[in-house]
Each structure stands twice: as structure tokens, then as C-alpha cells.
Amino acid sequence: MERKDEAEEAKSKVSVIETWLRKHRLLYVGATRHPFIHSIRDGSVDVSSFKRWLEQDYIFVRAFVPFVATVLLKAWKESFDATDLDVILSGMASLNDEFAWFNKEASKWGVSLTNVAPQKANLDYCRFLESLMSSEVEYTVAITAFWAIETVYQDSFAHCLEDGSNTPEELRDTCQRWGNDGFGRYCHALQSIAEHHLEKASDDVRKRTEAAVLDVLEYEVAFWNMSQGDT
Ligand SMILES: Cc1ncc(CN)c(N)n1
């Protein structure tokens, strides 16, 4: 009987991440329902904005790879659950495919990915990623930031594929890249890992993790703004 009560309580308990998403709803919605995403979804997107996003995101993803490598290293050192390594490694593998995808997409749009100058919002975001790569940053902070970064893209692009969307055919591949169900399951797996570590974390680590998630959301909004030319 007591066991059953505990199980029921665990089921109804609001997780740490869910609490933050409720508390920072406006910012989360700002990052995942940005006007740039709305413009893809309703078909009014400006082609030059899309091309700018493509060029800048390629630069971001190049900086994202070493960040993910440090998350993998921290998982190996700080987590005793083999699932963590499996999930992070699957994320790295999909980043490898992502580079091939960027090259294919760039030639489709007549964009050159070499010699592109990173814009300020991108540089700021890459610098933030670099700060998270430090060995001083705990695994809990890094894995939760990783979850947030991936989830913003998943949630944003999945929105462009929902029933009722008017996403142009030539942009559907981009939306599928991050909005597909498999990527959604991967984000959920990252969330479970992050939750597991947040449950055990000290108040101080939790506070710093929450701050890192908020930073991610703000950098994502700035990144979409930059894509639209609003910097
Ligand atoms: C800016 C940004 N944020 C997130 C993702 C998803 N990896 C991305 N490609 N670019």
C-alpha cells in the first residue's frame, strides 16, 4: 500500500524541467514560436532570411560539435548510467549527417558555406557554448543546456509540420531534419537524463542549470532575430 502511494506521488510530481518551463513560459514560447518560425509555417518566409539562417547555423553547428564532445566526456566521468553515453553518442552521429545535409541544402539554395562571417548573435552564442565546455561546468548543467538547445529546434520545426501549416515544399526537408518524431524521441531521452541528474543535484547546481537554460532560450531568440536581419 505504501509502495503504491509512493508510485502515485512520483507520477503526480511535477519535474524540475517542467516547473521551469511553466515558470519561464513566455521566454520558451518566444524561442519556439518566433516570427521567423511563423514565417516558415505560413509560407511568407523571406528567402534571404532563410539563406542567412542556413549560413549562420552551419557555423553554429561546427561549434556545437566540440560542445557535445565535452558533454560526452562529462557523462563518461560523472554518470554511471550507460544510457547517457548511448544517447549523447547518437546525437553526435546525427550531427555528422547534419553536415552532409547542410552541404546539400546549401547547393540547393545556391549558398556557399565557406568564408561566411559569423554575425554577432552567433558569435555570442558560440562563446556561451565555449564557456559550457569548461571542465568546471558540471555535467548536470551541460546536459540540461544540451537538452534545451536541441529541444528549441525540435519544438520550433515540428510546429511547421503540424496540420494546418502552410510550409513551402522546398522548406519541408529543413523542418523534417529537426521536427521529425525520431528527433522528438531523442529530445525526450535527453530530458529524462537531465531530470535524473537534476533530481540529485544540490540547490546551487540547480540554480546554475536554470540560469543556463534561460541563457540558451535568450541566445536562441537572438539567433532567430539575426536570421531575420533584426540585430
Ligand atoms: C542555433 C541552433 N540551435 C539549435 C540547433 C540544433 N542542434 C541548431 N542547429 N542551431
Side-chain angles (χ1 to χ4, degrees), residues 70-106:
T70 63
V71 180
L72 189 77
L73 186 65
K74 285 171 187 169
W76 176 66
K77 284 190 176 164
E78 295 179 41
S79 175
F80 298 104
D81 190 339
T83 319
D84 293 27
L85 279 188
D86 294 344
V87 173
I88 300 163
L89 193 58
S90 76
M92 284 213 97
S94 77
L95 284 173
N96 191 33
D97 296 342
E98 215 157 286
F99 286 121
W101 177 84
F102 269 106
N103 285 316
K104 189 177 74 135
E105 203 65 13

Side-chain angles (χ1 to χ4, degrees), residues 35-155:
F36 180 67
I37 286 300
H38 282 305
S39 74
I40 293 177
R41 190 187 147 99
D42 68 18
S44 68
V45 63
D46 178 42
V47 173
S48 65
S49 296
F50 179 78
K51 288 182 178 177
R52 189 179 306 119
W53 167 79
L54 191 68
E55 291 169 349
Q56 294 294 319
D57 208 46
Y58 176 75
I59 297 173
F60 176 83
V61 174
R62 291 199 79 86
F64 192 53
V65 172
F67 164 69
V68 180
T70 63
V71 180
L72 189 77
L73 186 65
K74 285 171 187 169
W76 176 66
K77 284 190 176 164
E78 295 179 41
S79 175
F80 298 104
D81 190 339
T83 319
D84 293 27
L85 279 188
D86 294 344
V87 173
I88 300 163
L89 193 58
S90 76
M92 284 213 97
S94 77
L95 284 173
N96 191 33
D97 296 342
E98 215 157 286
F99 286 121
W101 177 84
F102 269 106
N103 285 316
K104 189 177 74 135
E105 203 65 13
S107 66
K108 171 172 138 191
W109 291 92
V111 162
S112 163
L113 295 176
T114 47
N115 299 323
V116 177
Q119 295 198 7
K120 184 178 180 302
N122 201 359
L123 281 173
D124 292 346
Y125 201 174
C126 291
R127 230 172 263 133
F128 169 69
L129 281 185
E130 215 172 321
S131 73
L132 292 177
M133 293 185 213
S134 158
S135 57
E136 311 262 286
V137 173
E138 295 83 355
Y139 174 55
T140 303
V141 178
I143 186 79
T144 312
F146 182 32
W147 159 79
I149 296 168
E150 297 288 52
T151 297
V152 168
Y153 262 41
Q154 203 283 323
D155 197 340

Side-chain angles (χ1 to χ4, degrees), residues 208-221:
R208 279 186 284 116
T209 308
E210 183 178 7
V213 169
L214 294 184
D215 285 342
V216 166
L217 298 177
E218 276 163 9
Y219 284 119
E220 290 287 347
V221 171

